[in-house]
Amino acid sequence: MKLFIDLTSLDDRLSGIERYAANITEALLRRGDCELTLVFKNRIPERFVSCQGQTGVRLLVLDAGGRLTATQLKLPALLRRLERQGEHFDACLFPAFPAPLLYCSRKAVSTIHDIGCFDCPEAMTLPSRIFFRTLYRKAARQDGMITTVSEFSKERIADKFPRAGSKTVVVRNGIAPAFLKQCTAEEIAQVREKYRLPERYILSLCTLEPRKQLPLLVSAYKELYAEGLRQHKLVLVGRSGWKNNSLEQMLAGTEPESVVLTGFADDADLPALYAGAALFVFPSMYEGFGLPPLEAMAAGTPVLSSDAASMPEILGEKAHYFRSEDAESLKAQLEHLLTLPREQLRSGEEGRRSHAATYTWENAAQQLVEAVSRNLL
């Protein structure tokens, strides 16, 4: 099978979508049964440098400026040029975002992780909302295939675009082996020192943007802190996104050092960040998959999640839940969990690890290859 894979999004700091693209591509590389053309923007990321010269693998780099220039102009131009030169691909994969607006082909495999631009438009800026709605409508209309990351997202895509339902295939995220490895006390201490973290902390990791509902978490935490529950600091990890005014205003009123913002954290540090936390909290109002709480489970850390969207589907019975967007429900669950003896809070660690371990990138790659073979060959 000959595949073209768009990895131009990996030039920037990686969120869950870009990590999905990188990890499923690495799983395809490990299989060794596909001929791959990988396309990057401006540089080859370090994790793919070793692929240079590998049999059946070709790396191409687009010399481009911003993301839109690369993905919407230079990438389709490259594909058209390769086709004019007689190149044939069984499928052109776009694992981070759907195929470019200027590229139409039945060989296109567009990935739509969720349709938040329709389901919770208030959480996006207007330009982003317009752009993604346009991309998704085009992906739904064209003859190519669509992959998504959960049954929840597949159902939402089919509801919004009935024509797309029959051509949408679920290819879930996986857990990288690094998250399943038990971190040593020394590794956890090193990461705590690097990010200046307290010994006991509650962790939340996500892009800082409205639909992640971080103000809800900060508000609940502040109330408990004011009421005397001060054994744990709240640590927020993630790159700054958009529409953060309410979060910034709320943080401005917090007691010094009760809430720690680390900013973006290196991927290599994430396993120890998860493992060092007393509790991982994921208050998001809408997720196509929600990888961070599953990664926290892989580290054995207890997880408290909203019950929104795909979260019960992905986390199953191994997580604790609160009612989505319900501040009192979140506060009550936080108070309950944080006042449990440590041994009781940590109970079920092996069950959490085992549940997370069922999500592998090898399975994801197999699902993708089978879907391409079934629908495009």
Side-chain angles (χ1 to χ4, degrees), residues 62-272:
L62 290 177
D63 184 13
R67 176 176 290 185
L68 286 180
T69 300
T71 60
Q72 301 304 314
L73 296 176
K74 294 201 171 185
L75 186 62
L78 170 65
L79 276 163
R80 286 193 293 269
R81 185 169 72 250
L82 293 175
E83 289 166 358
R84 286 196 303 269
Q85 294 170 353
E87 288 272 6
H88 166 77
F89 298 105
D90 294 308
C92 295
L93 310 184
F94 302 90
F97 302 101
L101 293 172
L102 298 179
Y103 181 71
C104 296
S105 170
R106 66 170 299 273
K107 296 294 185 180
V109 180
S110 291
T111 302
I112 298 178
H113 293 262
D114 61 60
I115 59 168
C117 56
F118 292 100
D119 286 348
C120 44
E122 70 284 354
M124 302 182 74
T125 62
L126 179 60
S128 292
R129 188 161 68 239
I130 293 171
F131 175 68
F132 284 109
R133 285 181 175 184
T134 304
L135 271 182
Y136 294 173
R137 287 189 178 107
K138 182 257 186 182
R141 287 195 310 266
Q142 73 173 21
D143 292 332
M145 196 173 87
I146 294 173
T147 62
T148 192
V149 291
S150 64
E151 293 296 336
F152 166 79
S153 283
K154 180 178 179 179
E155 290 173 8
R156 292 300 305 124
I157 291 168
D159 287 345
K160 188 66 183 178
F161 307 109
R163 179 181 171 186
S166 61
K167 66 174 186 177
T168 301
V169 178
V170 175
V171 179
R172 290 185 173 86
N173 279 267
I175 294 292
F179 292 100
L180 294 166
K181 179 181 73 71
Q182 292 201 20
C183 294
T184 65
E186 182 181 0
E187 289 170 332
I188 293 171
Q190 288 174 347
V191 166
R192 279 182 36 228
E193 181 178 0
K194 177 177 178 179
Y195 294 97
R196 300 180 180 179
L197 303 182
E199 184 174 350
R200 302 175 72 180
Y201 61 91
I202 306 159
L203 177 66
S204 191
L205 184 152
C206 59
T207 301
L208 309 186
E209 51 99 347
R211 76 176 183 179
K212 304 303 181 181
Q213 286 288 281
L214 290 176
L216 194 77
L217 172 58
V218 172
S219 176
Y221 173 79
K222 285 175 64 176
E223 288 185 23
L224 291 172
Y225 193 87
E227 294 167 9
L229 195 63
R230 301 188 174 190
Q231 297 93 331
H232 301 84
K233 305 299 185 186
L234 175 61
V235 175
L236 306 180
V237 177
R239 68 182 184 186
S240 182
W242 48 91
K243 290 190 174 185
N244 282 330
N245 290 344
S246 61
L247 177 61
E248 292 171 356
Q249 291 169 2
M250 186 169 289
L251 290 173
T254 58
E255 185 168 326
E257 298 183 0
S258 63
V259 179
V260 180
L261 278 79
T262 69
F264 180 82
D266 294 331
D267 277 10
D269 296 330
L270 295 183

Side-chain angles (χ1 to χ4, degrees), residues 24-40:
I24 200 165
T25 300
E26 288 176 330
L28 289 169
L29 284 164
R30 288 193 293 271
R31 288 173 61 96
D33 59 353
C34 297
E35 186 176 342
L36 306 179
T37 295
L38 312 183
V39 183
F40 305 96

